[in-house]
């Protein structure tokens, strides 16, 4: 299992960067044969991040208390491998990613 995380500077939010970052992190996780599960933890009031992961196969599996961030919801998704399309992405996203990665 690998846990992913990211942050987008306030001036650049709501422009698709979080979604693009998430897609790249999920592709990177899928490229590692040992990774079968991807985890993300999100504060329950972080509506934007909760919306960002929706549609990518994440399911809430629990909650945890973080000393710095407080209550976090724990989500996990399978690491997608091979030619299976990553949930939440369009076919054109998949083609572009394969072209960039060679």
């Amino acid at each position: 299992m690998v846990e992913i995380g990211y942050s987008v500077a306030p001036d650049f939010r709501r422009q698709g960067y979080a979604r693009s970052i998430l897609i790249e992190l999920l592709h990177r996780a899928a490229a590692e044969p040992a990774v079968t599960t991807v985890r993300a933890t999100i504060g329950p009031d972080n509506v934007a991040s909760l919306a960002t992961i929706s549609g990518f196969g994440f399911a809430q599996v629990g909650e945890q208390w973080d000393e710095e961030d407080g209550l976090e919801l724990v989500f996990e998704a399978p690491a997608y491998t091979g030619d299976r399309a990553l949930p939440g992405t369009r076919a054109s996203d998949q083609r572009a990613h394969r072209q960039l990665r060679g």
Side-chain angles (χ1 to χ4, degrees):
M1 176 181 359
V2 64
E3 183 169 347
I4 59 171
Y6 56 87
S7 180
V8 178
D11 289 348
F12 297 94
R13 292 180 182 159
R14 303 201 47 79
Q15 297 180 44
Y17 290 110
R19 183 178 185 278
S20 294
I21 293 167
L22 177 59
I23 290 168
E24 288 302 315
L25 289 171
L26 293 173
H27 279 294
R28 179 66 177 97
E32 293 296 326
V35 176
T36 59
T37 304
V38 179
R39 175 177 281 182
T41 58
I42 301 171
D45 297 330
N46 190 340
V47 176
S49 287
L50 292 170
T52 299
I53 69 164
S54 70
F56 283 91
F58 282 91
Q60 186 176 345
V61 296
E63 298 178 347
Q64 68 183 24
W65 184 262
D66 182 87
E67 290 297 323
E68 188 174 318
D69 297 324
L71 179 64
E72 295 177 328
L73 306 178
V74 179
F75 295 88
E76 291 182 356
Y80 286 84
T81 58
D83 290 331
R84 293 189 325 173
L86 187 66
T89 60
R90 298 177 296 273
S92 59
D93 292 338
Q94 293 292 315
R95 283 192 301 276
H97 179 78
R98 282 194 294 272
Q99 289 172 346
L100 288 172
R101 300 290 177 218

